[in-house]
Amino acid sequence: MLTVGVDIGGTSVRAAVVEPDGTVLAEASAATPESAGELDDTVAELVGDLAAGRSVGAVGLAVAGFVDPDRRSVAFGAHLPWRDDAVVDRLTERLGLPVVLEHDANAAGLAEHRVGAAAGATVAVLVALGTGIGAALLVDGAVYRGAYGVAPELGHLTVVRGGRPCPCGKHGCLERYCSGTALGRSAEELIAASEDFSVLRATWERAEPVTGRDVARAAEAGDALARRVVDEFGEWLGQALALVADVFDPDVVVIGGEVSASAPLYLDRARRRYADEVTGTGHRRLAEVRPAMLGGRAGVIGAALDARERAQRT
Ligand SMILES: [Zn+2]
């Protein structure tokens, strides 16, 4: 039996037919529509196309938003048209296949645990660095979601009191200092505060946003200011790893998300800071910190494997 995973983000919907070992057989994608009905249609079309002529037994959805604890409804996602919406029952009926629903970071964490960088881990944490920070915790292979379905929200831990404003409404959240967005923001602050040469300065002078990708590319090319930004980012990530280790004591932490593509630039520094900062350093075992293996496909693969595991249990 094959399963289909569908990863529904703010800008695109990606879908893939996945084998039991996580191999992607075929994939398709479409822009995320603006209404709930159109999103249903998009999911149905992608699944229909991928399932045609194949023996597909279940469908997994991964969404960029809060999922109810019973995993039948999407509560809220800032960029999703589904709101307090019982999507599982509706799509199960429409697709004629069992449907499971999961938060996208949890799906990515599940995929990395089953067939990726966290394979075999007892306690695994995924830290996905992108626009913000997505996080997932797996204990003995099971996704830990807390009593009300929202754990773990690592990105919104307050690390600087009165710090940078966050779209969540608070100030000084970790993801304002340690994400792709934060890389750009830190570069802009440093450019504004200094006269130092940087290839990024021209972008800033045109009043265009400096992106995390711009900073990573400049750092790779040897730009000194960009290197300083990336080094500081590595220190923040190390501090985040120490927080994660003090709370969860994992054996593996997987660094995923878009920024993980630049891991060689900052991962060693982050590991050193983590080792220095964790409580009881020198007297405890540290987690292995590894870059993710599945890249942008982690969500679809995890959703598909989740659907398979659920189908096998029932
Ligand atoms: Zn926040």
Side-chain angles (χ1 to χ4, degrees):
M1 178 184 86
L2 301 168
T3 52
V4 172
V6 185
D7 188 356
I8 302 162
T11 53
S12 69
V13 182
R14 300 177 61 164
V17 188
V18 177
E19 291 195 277
D21 66 357
T23 304
V24 170
L25 286 183
E27 51 194 329
S29 67
T32 306
E34 284 179 13
S35 77
E38 286 170 318
L39 181 51
D40 286 15
D41 294 344
T42 299
V43 171
E45 277 164 30
L46 290 171
V47 172
D49 288 350
L50 289 170
R54 294 190 174 99
S55 166
V56 167
V59 175
L61 307 177
V63 296
F66 288 130
V67 170
D68 281 358
D70 66 1
R71 296 213 284 147
R72 304 197 75 76
S73 311
V74 173
F76 172 78
H79 305 286
L80 283 185
W82 290 337
R83 299 272 162 99
D84 293 317
D85 198 339
V87 297
V88 167
D89 291 344
R90 193 170 69 237
L91 287 172
T92 298
E93 191 167 319
R94 176 151 177 189
L95 301 174
L97 290 167
V99 173
V100 301
L101 176 66
E102 184 56 282
H103 185 277
D104 59 359
N106 287 342
L110 185 95
E112 292 289 348
H113 183 271
R114 298 300 190 267
V115 297
T122 305
V123 175
V125 177
L126 170 79
V127 180
L129 306 169
T131 307
I133 295 181
L137 168 65
L138 284 97
V139 180
D140 295 326
V143 171
Y144 176 86
R145 47 176 54 81
Y148 304 112
V150 300
E153 271 298 347
L154 294 179
H156 300 285
L157 292 174
T158 304
V159 292
V160 179
R161 205 140 57 91
R164 293 176 180 170
C166 185
C168 77
K170 304 198 302 175
H171 284 79
C173 294
L174 179 62
E175 68 170 46
R176 294 300 97 195
Y177 301 88
C178 190
S179 63
T181 310
L183 273 176
R185 179 70 200 281
S186 298
E188 288 169 354
E189 280 186 4
L190 204 53
I191 291 166
S194 76
E195 309 264 286
D196 297 355
F197 170 82
S198 171
V199 294
L200 302 169
R201 188 173 289 280
T203 307
W204 179 78
E205 281 171 350
R206 288 195 301 271
E208 287 170 18
V210 176
T211 66
R213 206 172 296 163
D214 294 338
V215 177
R217 213 175 288 141
E220 271 158 23
D223 186 271
L225 185 140
R227 295 291 319 203
R228 271 161 65 200
V229 171
V230 169
D231 287 350
E232 184 65 16
F233 176 91
E235 298 290 334
W236 276 114
L237 179 59
Q239 191 174 329
L241 291 169
L243 287 171
V244 163
D246 279 340
V247 179
F248 301 126
D249 190 22
D251 46 346
V252 177
V253 180
V254 176
I255 307 298
E258 223 180 295
V259 186
S260 68
S262 311
L265 287 175
Y266 57 78
L267 204 52
D268 284 344
R269 182 176 285 267
R271 287 187 180 113
R272 281 197 299 276
R273 177 64 182 260
Y274 159 43
D276 285 347
E277 189 138 325
V278 72
T279 306
T281 187
H283 304 281
R284 61 186 280 180
R285 288 180 64 179
L286 298 178
E288 293 258 355
V289 183
R290 302 173 184 157
M293 284 172 54
L294 304 174
R297 284 168 157 179
V300 284
I301 294 171
L305 296 178
D306 187 25
R308 164 179 305 281
E309 291 177 10
R310 176 66 76 88
Q312 282 166 347
R313 278 199 300 272
T314 51

